[in-house]
Amino acid sequence: MLQKPRGTRDFLPDEMEARRTIEWRMREVARCWGYREVCTPEFENLELFTMRSGEGIVEEMYIFEDKGGRKLALRPEITAAVIRMFINEAKVAPKPLRWCYFADCFRYERPQKGRYRQFWQFGVELIGADTARADAEVIMLAADMLNATGIAYDLKVGHLSFMKNLLKDLEYSAQRRMMAHLDKKDFDGLKNTLESMNKADLCNSLIALVNCRDLAEAFEISGPVPEKERINQTIEILDAAGIEYSLNFGIARGLDYYTGMVFEGFAQNLGAENQILGGGAYRLAHLFGGDDVASCGFALGFDRVMVSLGEKIHRKDTVVAVVCTNECRNHALEVARIFRRAGIRSEMDLMGRGLGAQIAHASKSADFAVVIGQRETESGNVTLKNLHTGEQKTLDPESAIAEVVSHGARR
Ligand code: HAM
């Protein structure tokens, strides 16, 4: 028997319904904040991701050559693609641009629960606003979106300027290496690399910074940072808005394009793969041939949110089975059409079963049977049978629809 590729999943209807329910909650939040959906290709020129996404991502990419010899990659994330699209299609549009996406990404990682080779992100990108208000808006939106899913989470907010200030005497590539150690909390690796560069004196300050949860203390550890005013303003806005978060100056992020504010969200009930969201302020546009436009955004790991929610999401449609005798099939089709027009999921027998067998089958999969026989065809009424209680009523179609709808609302 052929199997699906490792690290991918199939989704049965129950699971898809739960996923769509949560997806739409996220879409609603994004819409209310003014973020409009965009869509980019599933694959891009490889170069787009090798320029500034960082070694980790590059190693995990699905890379292939097309028949024309072009080097392409399945997108491992969507931010770079959105900024490419902004430069190609919308660079003269009035700023800021508020865009969002819900799309799949591909990373060749070691699969486990919450870590897949194909996974979905709900992301937002705020393009062209270089202010504390912009940084704060994106964090507030992230909090709103996480709240809308109903999961219990911790939100951690940091800023790269502290780390960068301590590392400012190192070359860019060495800085990146240190930040990768810090991102993974790999203090031994950090110490060894610093020692090999005769910079062991930095180790204690960097570790103190990672463990620091207080803004004033972080300023003291790192020395004067040019972004101090902006950082203070961002924090003030978040506090005034009552956002629940903690400060964490050890966030370095796995991708290389971040420049300032960074933040991450963690699900409280997940183990190893508990990071459900990551984002921050970044600059990519100038690398792709545009002006140096400041941007800021985040992506929510949709599959991890679903793992965190577990069995909690049960959005089951109320299901009606329109059952009938063979002679009344045309009238039954008309009745099913009336129910469907009212938005009710209505199914009919396709197997040529008798009336009794149709009801028996419906009792396994439906909430109501709408019975159409000779009497109903002549009167224009329907017999509505509640398949949970066995209760049965003769009603006109509108009243039957009202009864089904009110049953759905009570669930
Ligand atoms: P990221 O942290 O690489 O950031 O990914 C965002 C989220 O995607 C993670 O927090 C995690 O929940 C989820 N995720 C990552 N890899 C996997 C995987 N293999 N399986 C399941 N879920 C996964 C970005 O991708 C940036 N583009 C975010 C961003 C947007 N920054 C600014 N704008």
Side-chain angles (χ1 to χ4, degrees), residues 49 68 91 103 119 123 132 150 203 247 264 271 285 298 303 350 368 395 405:
F49 302 112
K91 68 175 177 227
F119 60 96
C203 200
L247 288 170
E264 291 178 343
F298 68 83
D303 307 270
L350 302 174
F368 290 94
L395 297 167
V405 169

Side-chain angles (χ1 to χ4, degrees), residues 77 79 107 109 114 116 121 125 253 257-258 275 297-298 301:
E77 59 114 28
T79 305
R107 295 185 192 174
E109 298 197 75
Y116 310 102
Q121 288 188 342
E125 310 298 346
R253 306 283 301 127
Y257 47 62
Y258 296 100
Q275 196 183 119
F298 68 83

Side-chain angles (χ1 to χ4, degrees), residues 193-306:
T193 321
L194 283 170
E195 274 169 8
S196 71
M197 294 188 301
N198 287 328
K199 292 281 180 194
D201 51 315
L202 283 179
C203 200
N204 287 344
S205 312
L206 284 168
I207 293 175
L209 188 65
V210 169
N211 294 322
C212 170
R213 300 287 172 268
D214 179 76
L215 192 54
E217 206 181 312
F219 284 127
E220 253 170 56
I221 297 170
S222 76
V225 293
E227 295 94 337
K228 184 170 180 176
E229 194 44 39
R230 175 148 165 187
I231 297 169
N232 282 331
Q233 278 175 13
T234 308
I235 299 298
E236 264 171 38
I237 299 170
L238 296 181
D239 290 343
I243 301 297
E244 282 189 32
Y245 69 96
S246 59
L247 288 170
N248 188 315
F249 305 100
I251 302 174
R253 306 283 301 127
L255 295 147
D256 277 4
Y257 47 62
Y258 296 100
T259 49
M261 183 275 297
V262 282
F263 61 110
E264 291 178 343
F266 298 86
Q268 287 171 0
N269 66 345
L270 296 184
E273 301 304 323
N274 62 346
Q275 196 183 119
I276 45 166
L277 178 147
Y282 62 93
R283 284 174 187 272
L284 273 174
H286 61 295
L287 294 175
F288 303 157
D291 294 336
D292 186 15
V293 178
S295 323
C296 167
F298 68 83
L300 218 146
F302 184 76
D303 307 270
R304 292 187 186 169
V305 169
M306 295 311 294

Side-chain angles (χ1 to χ4, degrees), residues 15-27:
E15 204 170 348
M16 277 316 294
E17 280 170 12
R19 287 172 72 89
R20 291 287 184 224
T21 301
I22 299 304
E23 176 196 328
W24 278 98
R25 286 189 200 165
M26 292 179 183
R27 284 186 184 283

Side-chain angles (χ1 to χ4, degrees), residues 57-110:
I57 286 274
V58 171
E59 279 166 16
E60 289 166 358
M61 249 185 317
Y62 280 89
I63 298 170
F64 60 99
E65 212 173 273
D66 72 5
K67 289 181 181 170
R70 298 170 195 91
K71 284 236 173 213
L72 301 169
L74 294 183
R75 59 186 174 202
E77 59 114 28
I78 301 168
T79 305
V82 167
I83 297 302
R84 180 209 39 75
M85 169 170 145
F86 156 69
I87 293 159
N88 293 161
E89 311 289 343
K91 68 175 177 227
V92 294
K95 312 285 178 308
L97 286 169
R98 290 185 172 93
W99 283 351
C100 69
Y101 47 84
F102 177 67
D104 54 350
C105 304
F106 304 85
R107 295 185 192 174
Y108 192 81
E109 298 197 75
R110 199 165 41 78

